[in-house]
Amino acid sequence: MDANQNETLTNPDPSKPLAGIRVLDLSAVISGPMACALLADQGADVIKVEPLAGDQSRRIGPSKGDLSALAISVNRGKRSIALDLKRKDHLDVVHDLAQRADVLVQNFRPGAMERLGLGAEALCKANPRLVYVSISGFGAAGPYAGGRVYDAVIQAVSGMAASHPNQTTGAPTLLATTICDKLSALTAAQAICAALYARERSGRGTTIDLSMLDAALAFQWPDAMNNLTFVTDPPAKFPEFGISQRPYKTANGYVAAMTPQPDEFTNFCKGLGRPDLATDPRFATANARRHNMTELVPLIESLAGTHDTDELVAALREAGVPIGRVNDRHEVLTDPQVLHSGSVVEIENGDVGIVRIAKAAAHFGGQPAPMPTAAPRIGAHGREVLQGLGYSESRIDQLLAPLLTTSA
């Protein structure tokens, strides 16, 4: 970052790996905002530009005023300025912010940013060090490119829904989480860090185009699509990976186990009281078990059903079996490992009070993961951001007037 850009950053924490990096977040809902939240966790100064009514995520799920649970999670650690991109003077603000940014993230539909005069060509010409990130559903071109896209659509088209069939009917199933949005966010955050590293060597930024469909396919391929990997003389197909994945009902709950190694399956069978299953030719190897899951699963289910959940998990874990109890959502908060790791924390979030949020997963230098910080109300940092651009107080008042009117 150039020295004159550094002057307007808000007290970067030098202990965080992205200290001194400024991110301009023009994205909405989950994929882009979550990517930017991960960068904020790692020390980047993230400025969220949102409409006067706020990002749509503020209106999804349980909420207090303009802060929903979703918005708190994906906008943590950011500063917010509310702008009307239909107004030229507000567009000018975005141009000024982009001039001083290291990274810009947007997930408008293809062509929308260009129509606003905020396309990659124009902004990267004005700021050659800018890393300009575009996240879309299907990419910038192609038969589906112009349509509206949400997570369920990508789950369908990518084969993800088909990879999780209903265990009884075989019908495709949509996962009850916005998995494609979130894995797109993770992919984007990694690509941004790679681009920033490349910029250190070249001195120039770049553009990053990322489609949710491509991210979902890359996520699917190692296991769910492994029967499609070989093109030349393909070997015989295996039962699909997901078919063998299921929790087992115990006397008072559920457990999940995976036992691909011989000793793991042997100890699993011993712990269930049927050591003979480990030497049964139908189940003696991982591949044999995959081919004979319709016979094996009922046997395991009948055995697991006679055991107490916690006792079974403790005994099998002691024997080296990869196993865990299936927690419901509230039980996650009191899980011994979650508590030990401090994975879920409580923080003050302004007038909303205390909120609960998951910490960043990555630890740097043997230090604890940084604590997340509060998510902003709509436009909460508008004056601060505009002051950082060197605007006069009268101009700032003029620019903020629409938000003040909307809030009133």
Side-chain angles (χ1 to χ4, degrees), residues 64-378:
K64 288 186 175 183
D66 64 14
L67 275 174
S68 67
L70 173 60
I72 288 171
S73 288
V74 300
N75 292 305
R76 62 187 184 271
K78 302 179 186 179
R79 298 191 287 160
S80 169
I81 181 170
L83 297 172
D84 180 357
L85 299 188
K86 295 178 182 178
R87 286 181 45 169
K88 182 182 182 305
D89 57 345
H90 282 205
L91 275 175
D92 289 343
V93 173
V94 178
H95 278 277
D96 287 343
L97 289 169
Q99 283 268 34
R100 293 161 170 79
D102 297 283
V103 179
L104 182 150
V105 179
Q106 64 90 10
N107 61 355
F108 285 76
R109 276 192 280 174
M113 288 288 280
E114 285 73 15
R115 290 190 291 272
L116 289 168
L118 299 172
E121 184 176 355
L123 295 188
C124 291
K125 182 177 181 181
N127 178 4
R129 288 176 58 80
L130 182 66
V131 174
Y132 188 108
V133 184
S134 300
I135 302 173
S136 61
F138 291 113
Y144 305 158
R148 291 188 178 185
V149 180
Y150 294 105
D151 193 272
V153 178
I154 303 300
Q155 286 195 44
V157 177
S158 68
M160 192 171 292
S163 298
H164 297 85
N166 180 282
Q167 299 287 357
T168 302
T169 66
T173 302
L174 294 173
L175 299 180
T177 181
T178 52
I179 187 170
C180 297
D181 271 304
K182 290 182 286 188
L183 65 90
S184 295
L186 294 169
T187 305
Q190 186 278 326
I192 288 166
C193 291
L196 289 171
Y197 178 72
R199 192 186 70 173
E200 290 302 302
R201 292 177 293 172
S202 70
R204 297 185 63 83
T206 190
T207 58
I208 298 173
D209 293 294
L210 187 156
S211 82
M212 290 173 63
L213 177 60
D214 285 349
L217 288 172
F219 182 80
Q220 282 271 92
W221 218 267
D223 48 14
M225 297 293 200
N226 59 19
N227 275 320
L228 301 178
T229 296
F230 292 98
V231 176
T232 303
D233 299 324
K237 289 186 177 181
F238 262 65
E240 299 293 346
F241 187 82
I243 292 175
S244 64
Q245 296 284 94
R246 68 182 67 196
Y248 299 111
K249 192 175 188 322
T250 63
N252 56 351
Y254 289 86
V255 297
M258 288 186 70
T259 55
Q261 302 299 330
D263 64 315
E264 294 167 348
F265 185 66
T266 296
N267 290 334
F268 185 46
C269 296
K270 286 179 181 177
L272 289 173
R274 284 290 305 274
D276 59 295
L277 292 178
T279 56
D280 187 313
R282 296 172 298 170
F283 315 130
T285 67
N287 285 346
R289 292 193 289 277
R290 284 278 293 279
H291 281 291
N292 294 290
M293 285 305 292
T294 55
E295 299 171 66
L296 178 60
V297 166
L299 290 171
I300 294 176
E301 287 179 334
S302 65
L303 296 168
T306 66
H307 292 269
D308 173 83
T309 303
D310 291 335
E311 291 177 0
L312 181 63
V313 168
L316 289 180
R317 186 173 285 145
E318 180 67 23
V321 176
I323 189 169
R325 76 190 312 273
V326 177
N327 291 326
D328 68 25
R329 288 171 173 83
H330 284 92
E331 288 171 334
V332 169
L333 301 177
T334 55
D335 184 276
Q337 186 63 51
V338 174
L339 290 173
H340 174 83
S341 301
S343 306
V344 178
V345 295
E346 295 181 354
I347 63 170
E348 290 277 355
N349 204 106
D351 60 353
V352 170
I354 296 174
V355 300
R356 190 181 287 119
I357 196 166
K359 287 176 66 176
H363 298 223
F364 293 89
Q367 298 301 310
M371 286 286 286
T373 55
R377 293 285 191 181
I378 300 171

